[in-house]
Amino acid sequence: MADDPQRNFRSAYYEKVGFRGVEEKKSLEILLKDNPLDLEKLSTFSQRFPLPSMYRIHVWKVLLGILPPHNDSHSLVGGYRKEQYQDILEALEVMRYINPSTPSTHVYLRMSQLETLVLPRCSETSAPVRWIAHRETCPYMGLIRFVVSPVALQPKSLEHYLSQEEPRLLTHLKTSGTLAQLPYGLWFRRCFAGCLPESSLQRVWDKVISGSCKILVFVALEILLSYKIMLMGISRPEGAVRFLCNIPQENTDAIVTKAIDLWHKYCLQS
């Protein structure tokens, strides 16, 4: 997807008249007609542009390997996946790991553990850490069972980019003891599920599912930058962490947009 001056001019015109993303939607429709689908091109598209909502789940399934690249096999494989889901669900019920009142996030965790042969004994199980915080349950958790890696390196990356963008804020977070206690689990292990509303979360997961987990670092970075003034006025780590775990929901689309711009700046222009 090399830069095309004519395409860029048309895109700018469409955005001016209120039809942002028209050309991108057409480009994706062309990619989805390929048989077999080109996974590399789909990944590249997902990294460079937001996925239209009408195609998002389908593209995610293909990129995650839930559906194969061959379009003519999607219906058949989709049926097999439903049977596989039901078999695993019934097995967990028979083994008494789950019941009708078990939260869906716990069900998906046990299903993943069974599939990957790491299901603990019933006597060793405890209430698993919820992927979703106190807000509404994310409807995609049954679809998304990927591992974000390497999680351990992401706090260091966040510190590095924060030193480039706002060194004074980094110094404050360090001296107040907040840096070590930032909600890294919520941000990097849960991929912001329970932190961002669904509309914003989808745009972040477009990048994660297409293979760019580093977008999570830039979302965290932009959250810190967006609330810099407030964070600079908080001297105790617990106060800062409490706020960051419950950021205002009305500004998240702008935060994600700026985070994607930063991600492009540092990771896609080299």
Side-chain angles (χ1 to χ4, degrees), residues 19-173:
F19 292 97
R20 183 178 181 181
V22 169
E23 285 213 334
E24 283 71 21
K25 181 173 178 286
K26 289 181 179 178
S27 297
L28 178 59
E29 289 173 346
I30 292 171
L31 289 178
L32 291 175
K33 289 179 181 177
D34 288 345
N35 194 17
L37 297 170
D38 191 317
L39 299 184
E40 185 175 346
K41 287 182 179 179
L42 279 178
S43 293
T44 300
F45 182 95
S46 299
Q47 290 179 27
R48 299 190 72 87
F49 309 109
L51 290 172
S53 58
M54 64 186 298
Y55 297 119
R56 174 170 278 119
I57 295 298
H58 181 69
V59 173
W60 283 7
K61 286 181 177 180
V62 171
L63 292 179
L64 290 169
I66 296 171
L67 292 177
H70 294 84
N71 285 316
D72 47 6
S73 300
H74 285 180
S75 179
L76 180 65
V77 173
Y80 289 153
R81 290 295 191 187
K82 290 179 181 178
E83 292 177 8
Q84 179 186 9
Y85 175 91
Q86 196 60 39
D87 288 344
I88 296 173
L89 192 67
E90 291 175 0
L92 289 170
E93 289 173 348
V94 169
M95 292 187 290
R96 299 183 180 178
Y97 280 87
I98 63 173
N99 57 59
S101 64
T102 304
S104 59
T105 48
H106 296 193
V107 173
Y108 301 144
L109 174 62
R110 298 302 180 211
M111 293 179 77
S112 178
Q113 289 175 332
L114 180 58
E115 281 192 298
T116 54
L117 305 179
V118 294
L119 186 68
R121 295 180 182 179
C122 274
S123 59
E124 298 172 348
T125 59
S126 58
V129 176
R130 287 179 63 86
W131 276 58
I132 308 299
H134 62 279
R135 297 195 180 94
E136 62 184 5
T137 300
C138 176
Y140 304 115
M141 279 304 168
L143 174 65
I144 309 305
R145 283 184 273 166
F146 51 79
V147 177
V148 179
S149 176
V151 173
L153 298 180
Q154 289 170 333
K156 284 294 183 185
S157 293
L158 175 59
E159 183 178 342
H160 168 72
Y161 292 117
L162 186 56
S163 71
Q164 303 297 306
E165 294 290 322
E166 191 53 67
R168 287 181 63 250
L169 176 58
L170 175 61
T171 299
H172 172 74
L173 294 177

